[in-house]
Amino acid sequence: MQLETTTVDIGTSRPLVLLNTVDADELGAHPLDRVRIEHDDGTTTGIVKRTDELVEAGSVGVTEPLHHVSGTVNVTLAGTPKSVRYVRKKLDDVELEASELETIVRDIHENRLSDVELSAYVSSVYTNGLSLEETKHLTEAMSGVGQRLSWESPVVADKHSIGGVAGNCVTPIMVAIVTAAGLTMPKTSSRAVTSPAGTADVMEVLCDVEFTIAEIESIVAETNGCLVWGGGVDLSPVDDEIIRAENPLSIDPPGQLIASVLSKKRSAGSTHIVIDIPYGEGAKVESLVAARELADDFKRVGDHLEVDVSCAITHGTDPIGRGVGPALEARDVLAVLEGEGPESLRLKSLRLADMLLTHCGVDASATEILESGEALERFRRIIAAQGGDPEIESDDLEPGAESTTIHADRSGVVTRVDNRQLCDLARRAGAPLDSRAGLVIHQTATNQIETGDPLYTIHAETPAKLTEAERLADRLEPIRVRSKADALVERR
């Protein structure tokens, strides 16, 4: 069928095409069917959306991913991708072969799956899990798509945390220490997806984080490392699409998590990686047994990829640091590098940095590098190379001016600090989009407190967002205070 293209200003991740119902009926196209679009520059596949009003008969509306298609085109029905059959197999809990996983990855990358089909894949993995062999094959397939970084150094250090802990911004401190020790550590990091701040969001408070591959190579040549946004260099792009489908469901199944992390690390050219696995109530991994199983699988998949992986199982019940949100976490990072800062953030950064140095075969002390000022000097060099102010200090970073402090309404002991609730509050206050929004945490578990002591302070950039955060705070109890008399937990 010959149709005239018309651009539809709808930003979608999938290549949707809008067909008038008259043309759709003649073509035999139902909602979410695929059509093949032959145009001057080649052939493209689109996913059908039927409409009576948005486009006229004789026209085909192309959304943002297909804006390169123009003029008169030939539209025909296309068959269902093979990967849909393999997704159904996984829904039936049938183990997939390497070639079948490769097909799914390729079709995701080439936008051949609808949002429904992609969600079905994610649901199948969540429900039925991935075997170790499936995880190995999936990681290989995902790292084979998109760009790859390569480095002259035979040892390229890297670190990743599986997340779930508020204020856990140890990465910038580790990069400063490890690169000061002479190792190469080109750190590509994510922006926040469901948290109040990703490492890239924190660094963006201090300097630019979006660079081309050539620019990243120049920064690393000058400083031994970098702290940049990985999304700007198209490393394992299929992972971004899968995360987009996982987000609304708030799921992150272990096999997919491993494939997500290691495919990006392999694409970044990393050879020696430390994986931080926090566990405990409120963390992504709640038991020590599950944390150990995940660590073992990380190492097995790493061995398969010929990447040297070591895992740190850490406590994930309490926040790390005091700030939650981009500017507040950046302030904590600088304070630690300056010789002050929250002790919990300092200690965890040093332990993980020592572990990574040893893992890479370097005989150096993270504590000595930090206390000598070498780490701070290296961090300032990285900030300058990424277009920031190398003279910035922690005191220069002010949180949002709109603030309120929540106080204890009883005396007693802090029995729990809930990471999830703290993150929810920081996001309601505006983080990470509002970089100066977030929380400052005043108490940790086991602290003895009196009535009226400060528990946490909410910072926002606008009065409206502060009000929203206050309303949520009224319904939550992120810092739980109990007296000895509170022995009875529940009566049913």
Side-chain angles (χ1 to χ4, degrees):
M1 177 181 290
Q2 297 288 314
L3 298 174
E4 196 69 28
T5 60
T6 180
T7 299
V8 180
D9 189 18
I10 298 177
T12 65
S13 59
R14 304 285 97 191
L16 292 179
V17 296
L18 278 65
L19 290 177
N20 187 281
T21 52
V22 173
D23 295 327
D25 286 342
E26 184 178 341
L27 196 60
H30 300 93
L32 299 183
D33 278 351
R34 288 163 187 79
V35 290
R36 183 177 295 105
I37 306 169
E38 297 174 20
H39 51 96
D40 290 342
D41 296 326
T43 301
T44 303
T45 300
I47 298 170
V48 172
K49 171 75 174 177
R50 292 166 58 105
T51 178
D52 291 317
E53 299 176 353
L54 293 179
V55 297
E56 298 178 353
S59 298
V60 55
V62 292
T63 56
E64 188 175 306
L66 297 173
H67 279 182
H68 63 284
V69 178
S70 61
T72 303
V73 296
N74 187 50
V75 180
T76 57
L77 281 178
T80 302
K82 283 184 179 180
S83 56
V84 173
R85 185 161 70 249
Y86 303 148
V87 170
R88 284 199 297 266
K89 284 182 64 176
K90 193 61 194 171
L91 284 167
D92 289 333
D93 199 16
V94 177
E95 185 167 343
L96 299 180
E97 302 292 333
S99 60
E100 295 170 334
L101 288 163
E102 288 169 7
T103 301
I104 291 174
V105 167
R106 185 174 64 250
D107 283 351
I108 293 173
H109 180 57
E110 295 177 359
N111 285 323
R112 291 177 182 163
L113 296 185
S114 68
D115 285 337
V116 171
E117 290 157 348
L118 183 56
S119 295
Y121 164 73
V122 167
S123 300
S124 72
V125 173
Y126 175 75
T127 302
N128 297 319
L130 293 170
S131 69
L132 183 60
E133 288 304 306
E134 285 178 310
T135 303
K136 291 176 181 177
H137 296 318
L138 178 62
T139 309
E140 256 187 321
M142 289 174 62
S143 63
V145 174
Q147 299 188 56
R148 297 282 291 270
L149 299 176
S150 60
W151 310 97
E152 292 183 2
S153 174
V155 175
V156 178
D158 209 336
K159 170 263 176 189
H160 184 86
S161 173
I162 68 168
V165 177
N168 189 27
C169 200
V170 304
T171 300
I173 301 168
M174 288 182 65
V175 170
I177 292 170
V178 170
T179 54
L183 282 168
T184 298
M185 190 170 179
K187 187 72 180 77
T188 58
S189 300
S190 62
R191 296 188 187 278
V193 179
T194 57
S195 70
T199 300
D201 300 306
V202 174
M203 286 304 299
E204 199 165 33
V205 173
L206 306 171
C207 57
D208 296 333
V209 296
E210 294 189 36
F211 298 96
T212 65
I213 287 180
E215 289 169 335
I216 291 173
E217 290 171 344
S218 175
I219 293 167
V220 174
E222 182 181 344
T223 66
N224 283 0
C226 65
L227 285 147
V228 302
W229 177 48
V233 286
D234 199 34
L235 303 178
S236 187
V238 168
D239 179 50
D240 299 326
E241 290 298 309
I242 292 172
I243 288 173
R244 185 179 60 80
E246 290 175 332
N247 248 1
L249 301 171
S250 297
I251 59 176
D252 199 3
Q256 189 66 56
L257 169 65
I258 293 170
S260 170
V261 172
L262 293 185
S263 66
K264 288 211 164 174
K265 298 307 175 189
R266 191 188 195 201
S267 296
S270 305
T271 64
H272 292 67
I273 308 164
V274 165
I275 306 291
D276 173 25
I277 305 176
Y279 83 96
E281 185 182 3
K284 280 187 180 181
V285 179
E286 297 211 343
S287 73
L288 181 58
V289 170
R292 286 170 174 164
E293 290 176 353
L294 185 61
D296 288 342
D297 285 346
F298 260 115
K299 291 174 67 67
R300 292 187 184 105
V301 176
D303 289 343
H304 176 74
L305 300 174
E306 298 183 343
V307 175
D308 204 342
V309 175
S310 183
C311 294
I313 298 175
T314 59
H315 292 291
T317 49
D318 287 333
I320 302 297
R322 290 290 175 268
V324 183
L328 291 163
E329 292 183 40
R331 185 171 69 176
D332 280 354
V333 166
L334 277 173
V336 169
L337 290 168
E338 291 165 356
E340 303 292 336
E343 186 68 5
S344 58
L345 181 61
R346 177 181 179 274
L347 287 176
K348 184 168 183 178
S349 300
L350 288 173
R351 291 292 299 275
L352 291 179
D354 272 328
M355 185 173 174
L356 184 54
L357 289 169
T358 300
H359 189 54
C360 293
V362 174
D363 183 14
S365 165
T367 301
E368 290 178 6
I369 293 171
L370 179 65
E371 293 180 351
S372 69
E374 292 177 73
L376 176 60
E377 175 59 27
R378 183 57 58 112
F379 191 63
R380 294 194 184 284
R381 284 178 59 189
I382 292 172
I383 290 175
Q386 293 185 200
D389 177 9
E391 301 303 318
I392 193 168
E393 297 180 353
S394 58
D395 290 342
D396 298 329
L397 298 175
E398 295 289 338
E402 303 293 331
S403 67
T404 188
T405 298
I406 308 300
H407 298 87
D409 59 6
R410 68 174 79 183
S411 61
V413 177
V414 176
T415 59
R416 184 189 177 194
V417 181
D418 192 308
N419 279 300
R420 289 177 183 169
Q421 291 189 23
L422 290 170
C423 289
D424 287 346
L425 278 169
R427 287 182 67 88
R428 188 65 61 90
L433 187 62
D434 297 343
S435 64
R436 296 186 299 120
L439 307 180
V440 174
I441 303 164
H442 303 301
Q443 305 294 340
T444 60
T446 74
N447 280 8
Q448 295 271 354
I449 63 173
E450 301 295 330
T451 302
D453 283 351
L455 298 177
Y456 59 93
T457 298
I458 306 171
H459 288 277
E461 294 186 9
T462 66
K465 289 186 179 179
L466 179 63
T467 299
E468 285 297 311
E470 288 174 326
R471 288 173 178 165
L472 181 60
D474 287 341
R475 303 197 301 271
L476 301 180
E477 191 182 25
I479 298 181
R480 185 169 60 199
V481 180
R482 295 290 183 266
S483 69
K484 291 182 179 179
D486 292 331
L488 178 64
V489 174
E490 182 177 317
R491 175 180 291 174
R492 297 177 68 91

